[in-house]
Amino acid sequence: MTTNEIPYKIYLTEDEMPKSWYNMRADMKNKPAPLIHPGTHQPLKLEELTPIFCEELCKQELNDSDAHIAIPEPIRQFYRMYRPSPLVRAYCLEERLNTPAHIYYKFEGNNTSGSHKLNSAIAQAYYAKQQGLKGVTTETGAGQWGTALSMASAYFGLDCQVYMVKCSYEQKPFRREVMRTYGATVTPSPSNTTAIGRKILEQFPDTTGSLGCAISEAVEKATSQEGYRYVLGSVLNMVLLHQSVIGQETMAACDKYGIVPDIIIGCAGGGSNLGGLIAPFMGRKLRGEADYRIIAIEPASCPSFTRGKFLYDFCDTGHVCPLAKMYTLGSEFIPSANHAGGLRYHGMSSTLSQLYADGLIEARAVEQSAVFKAATEFARCEGILPAPESSHAIKAAIDEAIKCKESGEAKNIIFGLTGTGYFDMTAYKAYNDGTMSDYIPTDADLERGFSHIPQFPGNTIN
Ligand SMILES: *Cc1c(COP(=O)(O)O)cnc(C)c1O
């Protein structure tokens, strides 16, 4: 196909939106390792997962064989309110960088949650409602996931209880109010509303909280209330599955205009946006139909891919969740206090971990001051104020575009612009004031985290 003139924003029609989610695992030769029981180390069966998660979501979590799973019509209906999202040609950024590269970004920030997280929140709320549940519990760090779930819960008339990492709760009072406006209850974590929260507070009275700790509280709260289940906004296979709408729309937009990506870049916290963005492209790669360079970008202060261990580990600080095999820094790892840019989870999606171990994706760690520099450069020419998380991908896309300038290659670079940064102005302020610093954990810092990874036959550090 000859390329049409490529518009600034490539929009698909509602009809061109995906009708099913794409499950990468079906095409993976080496399947991601299953979740296992922390006591017996046996793979978890459906009936062991259903007391924690909604039944249909457990089935999706365990499904390694169906490549396509139909998106229920009520979910598509909701998607239509804010999707399809545009694939934007970053003409202004290209001009600013004076690069021959063609840069595109898939923009997921055009909804109130300000991120891609709504794509999975609405699916999870739907299945909870279908099952006749009263409500859901969850944790939130920066707040986008809690907001997305509050919106989705309000839409389906579910109660929503959010444990918000204490330092975010204090730093982002407006995030909290958005969630409360959608009807959610927001509790700073650790709290004295759960046994695990009380225990953590007793041990570490001054802690500002962590995602791992908030997860433990939310799980305890779900399993101790009749008619409630726990939902998670990243890391799990089911979340990557829902996020595949991002990649499928991106691929449809590329195919429509004859764009063949050379490099696909995404930021990686727990791996859901990256897993979703790359899904159909990875499918082609796994089936030998095409090849792409795929790069995961993580913070140098929380470097699970680039410096973590590929082992079974706890998903949460309180150790109430199953063990997952993933690149991990240890469930007690907490990024240094000066880290501002999100992406602070200690582990990584087991699907992406397996793809990384198999050499199918690359990973790179970047320092936060360089990330905010890229964010600022992007905001000033493309207009959008990016989320710090998304800006990790911007930084890498700019670096790749500069390499193209040096080599004279007109590569097609696509990155995921996962959201907007309106609630991250404390971090932007530190950058603007020149007080932002970089802290890269030392090997000794990381060893402390690794020392909490459970050791058992087949799961040893050395
Ligand atoms: C949550 C979030 C991320 C990181 O989570 P993943 O599961 O790795 O995608 C990235 N960007 C934004 C805007 C987020 O809200």
Side-chain angles (χ1 to χ4, degrees):
M1 175 180 161
T2 53
T3 42
N4 306 326
E5 170 89 36
I6 293 168
Y8 261 82
K9 289 198 180 88
I10 304 177
Y11 277 111
L12 301 173
T13 65
E14 286 180 15
D15 265 2
E16 291 169 317
M17 278 169 57
K19 297 187 174 58
S20 57
W21 291 302
Y22 168 65
N23 182 9
M24 269 189 293
R25 288 169 285 158
D27 284 314
M28 288 169 69
K29 222 184 308 166
N30 297 330
K31 305 291 182 197
L35 294 171
I36 62 173
H37 187 282
T40 65
H41 303 154
Q42 293 304 304
L44 284 176
K45 298 192 199 79
L46 183 66
E47 61 272 22
E48 292 170 294
L49 285 170
T50 49
I52 307 175
F53 302 106
C54 302
E55 182 151 355
E56 198 55 37
L57 294 166
C58 294
K59 290 182 185 159
Q60 293 179 356
E61 187 62 27
L62 297 175
N63 188 336
D64 274 354
S65 52
D66 294 319
H68 303 280
I69 295 174
I71 305 174
E73 196 45 43
I75 299 176
R76 291 194 82 226
Q77 193 61 41
F78 188 88
Y79 280 165
R80 281 191 197 98
M81 287 199 264
Y82 69 100
R83 309 200 67 82
S85 74
L87 181 69
V88 185
R89 173 80 184 268
Y91 280 113
C92 302
L93 181 62
E94 289 170 19
E95 198 176 307
R96 170 77 62 107
L97 298 172
N98 189 22
T99 173
H102 294 187
I103 308 173
Y104 299 85
Y105 54 91
K106 179 71 169 163
F107 182 47
E108 291 291 321
N110 254 338
N111 67 76
T112 299
S113 82
S115 83
H116 63 287
K117 296 214 170 62
L118 197 51
N119 301 331
S120 184
I122 194 62
Q124 298 200 47
Y126 168 79
Y127 290 117
K129 188 69 185 176
Q130 281 294 99
Q131 197 176 324
L133 298 177
K134 290 184 203 141
V136 287
T137 72
T138 198
E139 77 296 329
T140 197
Q144 290 94 322
W145 168 247
T147 308
L149 189 68
S150 308
M151 294 169 70
S153 298
Y155 185 73
F156 284 122
L158 287 167
D159 183 34
C160 178
Q161 303 173 350
V162 181
Y163 284 87
M164 186 169 187
V165 177
K166 192 184 272 169
C167 61
S168 290
Y169 182 90
E170 284 159 4
Q171 267 184 18
K172 301 185 175 185
F174 295 140
R175 258 293 172 215
R176 179 171 86 215
E177 284 325 305
V178 177
M179 290 185 256
R180 298 202 325 146
T181 302
Y182 283 96
T185 316
V186 188
T187 309
S189 167
S191 75
N192 56 21
T193 65
T194 63
I196 189 73
R198 288 189 291 272
K199 190 174 148 208
I200 291 169
L201 280 175
E202 210 170 280
Q203 263 182 300
F204 309 101
D206 299 324
T207 179
T208 54
S210 70
L211 270 180
C213 166
I215 293 173
S216 303
E217 288 205 272
V219 171
E220 179 183 327
K221 203 69 188 172
T223 50
S224 61
Q225 294 175 99
E226 177 72 29
Y228 281 74
R229 290 294 184 279
Y230 166 69
V231 296
L232 179 60
S234 182
V235 185
L236 294 175
N237 294 325
M238 60 167 107
V239 184
L240 270 71
L241 176 74
H242 305 146
Q243 295 297 355
S244 68
V245 293
I246 304 173
Q248 293 184 86
E249 285 182 9
T250 303
M251 184 177 265
C254 285
D255 289 351
K256 198 166 170 176
Y257 283 90
I259 302 158
V260 181
D262 296 294
I263 307 176
I264 305 171
I265 297 169
C267 62
S272 74
N273 86 82
L274 179 67
L277 174 66
I278 68 173
F281 297 99
M282 183 55 78
R284 283 182 179 170
K285 189 165 162 145
L286 289 164
R287 295 188 303 270
E289 298 162 8
D291 199 12
Y292 311 94
R293 265 185 79 196
I294 294 170
I295 315 176
I297 313 297
E298 61 186 10
S301 52
C302 192
S304 26
F305 265 138
T306 51
R307 295 174 71 195
K309 304 283 183 200
F310 188 34
L311 289 171
Y312 270 108
D313 192 14
F314 298 103
C315 297
D316 63 316
T317 316
H319 302 175
V320 298
C321 292
L323 301 182
K325 188 171 178 194
M326 56 187 177
Y327 282 87
T328 179
L329 299 169
S331 59
E332 244 126 287
F333 179 84
I334 297 182
S336 77
N338 76 343
H339 170 73
L343 310 173
R344 20 173 74 244
Y345 188 60
H346 68 273
M348 186 53 65
S349 140
S350 61
T351 300
L352 293 188
S353 292
Q354 187 61 50
L355 292 170
Y356 182 62
D358 290 341
L360 291 159
I361 59 182
E362 303 165 35
R364 199 178 288 171
V366 291
E367 291 171 36
Q368 65 177 356
S369 51
V371 166
F372 278 83
K373 180 168 181 285
T376 305
E377 191 167 11
F378 180 84
R380 289 180 188 178
C381 57
E382 288 291 322
I384 295 168
L385 180 75
E389 293 91 337
S390 324
S391 305
H392 288 72
I394 298 176
K395 159 72 181 142
I398 290 178
D399 287 348
E400 289 301 320
I402 290 172
K403 282 186 208 158
C404 286
K405 181 177 170 180
E406 287 156 4
S407 67
E409 289 171 288
K411 287 187 180 158
N412 286 323
I413 301 169
I414 297 187
F415 72 90
L417 188 69
T418 50
T420 47
Y422 307 126
F423 291 101
D424 298 286
M425 298 326 289
T426 312
Y428 273 99
K429 178 177 189 299
Y431 178 73
N432 292 332
D433 287 346
T435 57
M436 178 171 278
S437 56
D438 293 315
Y439 182 79
I440 301 179
T442 62
D443 288 341
D445 292 336
L446 294 186
E447 285 307 323
R448 269 193 294 282
F450 296 150
S451 69
H452 295 280
I453 297 175
Q455 303 276 308
F456 52 88
N459 204 70
T460 51
I461 295 227
N462 291 311

